[in-house]
Amino acid sequence: MNHFLDIHKTSPDDLRQIIDQAAQMKSARAGRPKGTPDDDQPLAGRMVALIFEKPSTRTRVSFDVGVRQMGGETMVLSGKDMQLGHGETIADTARVLSRYVDLIMIRTFDETVLTEMAEYSDVPVINGLTDRTHPCQIMADIQTYEEHRGPIKGKKVVWTGDGNNVCASFLHAAGQFGFDLTFTGPSQLDPEEEFIGLARQAGSTITIERDAAKAVAGADLVVADTWVSMHDSQSSKERRHNMLRPYQVNDALMAHAKPDALFMHCLPAHREEEVTSAVMDGPQSVIFDEAENRLHAQKAVMRWCLDV
Ligand code: CP
Ligand code: NVA
């Protein structure tokens, strides 16, 4: 069964097929009102459960709209309103949901909730973000980079700030799509060794550079994310901000990158914290294309999961 749990768990050929299909589906419906159906209706008669144990704007709306454009139906469920949030096991929840729906997307905290859901589900499960990874975001980001600049293979991506869940999926993608990644941030917030190792094993050059300006030199793509993720305690906020301030993406830092470098952020952003408004709203920023491409990339992910 085709679960979409992580980028490194999906083959490079399948990932490429998903990105190509996302681009085709995007261009096929260019200029149409968002509520009109696609010409193909591969999800006709299919029901998709979208489960959220954390807040979401992009993931929630893009999955919901994407399913409908492809002719399917959705139900959006809040984890805390389900028995899942009141002691029913994940395994039992997965077995029950599999009797009602054709596909499950879940955003949760602990990665084991996702993996157990997939283990016991009879229908495909998609990772809509965990504390550890966010693969759907990075599929949209690869689509976005290639739409603007062509193949990402061999390019230099610089991740600034916290080596968090989004950074982890970028590392997975580095190995699978063949680009290099430099992490620049404080040592306390380095990405997991396991993920760095996986990317290196796949042949990517992964560099850790504490000096942000040096890290960004020659970058094709500079990426930032929030300094405090949903799974981080609010009490750590001040300490994290103090550590991360030297890694803010601003015009001075972007000047070290290649002149045609792009800037990405998965959003939601905290303006003037991890990135300035001048960069977010400037000519190198593709943040709203990334947000749009969540829709197209996830539609292709869902088709891959269901083989339709
Ligand atoms: N980027 C992203 O996943 O956004 P949401 O938290 O709004 O879904
Ligand atoms: N790193 C962020 C990403 C939000 C889409 C978080 O986990 O809160």
Side-chain angles (χ1 to χ4, degrees), residues 52 54-62 107 128-129 134 136-137 166 225 230 265-268 290-291 294 298:
F52 289 92
K54 288 176 177 171
S56 168
T57 297
R58 279 141 289 267
T59 307
R60 179 182 169 142
V61 178
S62 58
R107 166 170 287 195
L129 179 145
H134 194 6
C136 289
Q137 178 67 50
V166 182
D225 188 12
M230 291 181 273
H265 190 308
C266 65
L267 305 177
E290 287 178 84
R294 293 294 302 280
Q298 288 158 188

Side-chain angles (χ1 to χ4, degrees), residues 90-240:
I90 299 150
D92 288 348
T93 304
R95 288 185 281 227
V96 169
L97 287 178
S98 300
R99 302 287 178 108
Y100 301 133
V101 304
D102 301 291
L103 182 63
I104 299 168
M105 191 286 315
I106 181 164
R107 166 170 287 195
T108 187
F109 290 87
D110 195 319
E111 186 180 54
T112 58
V113 174
L114 172 79
T115 50
E116 202 174 325
M117 185 75 81
E119 186 181 344
Y120 291 95
S121 170
D122 295 325
V123 302
V125 173
I126 297 176
N127 176 357
L129 179 145
T130 69
D131 294 357
R132 221 172 162 215
T133 60
H134 194 6
C136 289
Q137 178 67 50
I138 277 47
M139 294 301 280
D141 292 353
I142 303 292
Q143 183 187 351
T144 305
Y145 184 86
E146 297 199 334
E147 193 170 89
H148 285 270
R149 295 284 184 267
I152 196 161
K153 191 175 167 68
K155 300 292 182 186
K156 175 177 175 178
V157 174
V158 179
W159 179 274
T160 62
D162 179 15
N164 63 16
N165 45 2
V166 182
C167 177
S169 289
F170 251 112
L171 278 166
H172 292 150
Q176 300 292 66
F177 287 93
F179 57 85
D180 298 329
L181 188 142
T182 297
F183 169 81
T184 187
S187 59
Q188 297 92 321
L189 300 177
D190 275 350
E192 289 182 44
E193 275 299 328
E194 181 191 332
F195 296 155
I196 294 174
L198 277 173
R200 285 184 176 150
Q201 262 170 34
S204 298
T205 301
I206 307 299
T207 308
I208 308 274
E209 170 57 64
R210 303 288 169 216
D211 182 307
K214 280 189 196 157
V216 167
D220 296 289
L221 169 62
V222 179
V223 194
D225 188 12
T226 180
W227 287 343
V228 185
S229 283
M230 291 181 273
H231 59 271
D232 292 319
S233 71
Q234 280 301 312
S235 62
S236 67
K237 186 174 170 181
E238 193 180 336
R239 184 174 51 85
R240 296 173 72 88

Side-chain angles (χ1 to χ4, degrees), residues 160-162 223-228 241 244-245 247-250 253 263 265-277 279-280:
T160 62
D162 179 15
V223 194
D225 188 12
T226 180
W227 287 343
V228 185
H241 276 228
L244 286 160
R245 215 159 274 129
Y247 299 97
Q248 182 194 66
V249 179
N250 48 39
L253 189 64
F263 170 75
H265 190 308
C266 65
L267 305 177
H270 300 78
R271 287 172 177 262
E272 316 312 332
E273 291 182 8
E274 69 270 12
V275 58
T276 59
S277 285
V279 171
M280 281 182 74

